[in-house]
Amino acid sequence: MHEVRRESRNPPYLPDTLVDGHSQAVLVQGDCRVLISGQVGLDAEGRLAGPDLAEQTEAALDNIERLLSSLGGDLLRVVMLRIYVAEFARYEQQAVVEALRQRFPVAPPAATWLIVFGLSDPEWLIAIEAEAVLP
């Protein structure tokens, strides 16, 4: 089995994105690329985790973590996130930052954040896609 090498890159000549819980880039070498569909704030039974962005963000990240665990990985294998926040919750984004900083305290993945008009269910405030590399 091959080792996965993952190295966050945050050069000093670019803005400091570590304060927001993500890296500017991640250099990855490994065997298996995993693309995870957008995870929303639903629990394992398909119920909304809560009405606010913080609860839904935690649930979405829990879903990503469980999915990776089922494949023999963990959040340390995540190299890229795409975060879609519903317009309605745009001013609550600090909750997302806090969740990312807690889940990825060292060498966080690269990320793209987008504000979208809405998600497919009006109660959903966030969807998070992830890319990971597994050995």
Side-chain angles (χ1 to χ4, degrees):
M1 186 172 286
H2 294 94
E3 177 184 340
V4 172
R5 291 186 0 187
R6 178 184 181 284
E7 182 182 333
S8 292
R9 298 288 177 101
N10 295 288
Y13 48 84
L14 291 176
D16 180 9
T17 57
L18 293 174
V19 298
D20 295 324
H22 64 92
S23 293
Q24 285 285 357
V26 178
L27 178 64
V28 179
Q29 294 176 325
D31 288 344
C32 181
R33 182 176 174 209
V34 179
L35 304 174
I36 298 175
S37 294
Q39 299 298 306
V40 296
L42 300 179
D43 65 17
E45 287 77 41
R47 294 183 304 247
L48 190 65
D52 67 31
L53 187 58
E55 293 168 307
Q56 291 188 30
T57 299
E58 292 293 341
L61 290 170
D62 287 345
N63 292 339
I64 291 168
E65 190 167 20
R66 280 193 288 270
L67 216 164
L68 286 170
S69 179
S70 75
L71 298 171
D74 55 37
L75 289 178
L76 294 175
R77 302 295 184 176
V78 175
V79 297
M80 180 68 184
L81 296 171
R82 282 176 210 80
I83 302 167
Y84 303 87
V85 176
E87 172 68 34
F88 179 73
R90 85 175 303 140
Y91 298 108
E92 300 172 37
Q93 291 181 71
Q94 188 59 36
V96 180
V97 169
E98 290 170 15
L100 292 178
R101 291 177 73 184
Q102 179 183 10
R103 302 282 181 124
F104 304 100
V106 178
T112 297
W113 292 52
L114 299 163
I115 302 298
V116 296
F117 178 75
L119 299 167
S120 61
D121 185 305
E123 292 184 306
W124 296 352
L125 302 177
I126 191 165
I128 304 174
E129 296 176 2
E131 290 188 38
V133 178
L134 303 177

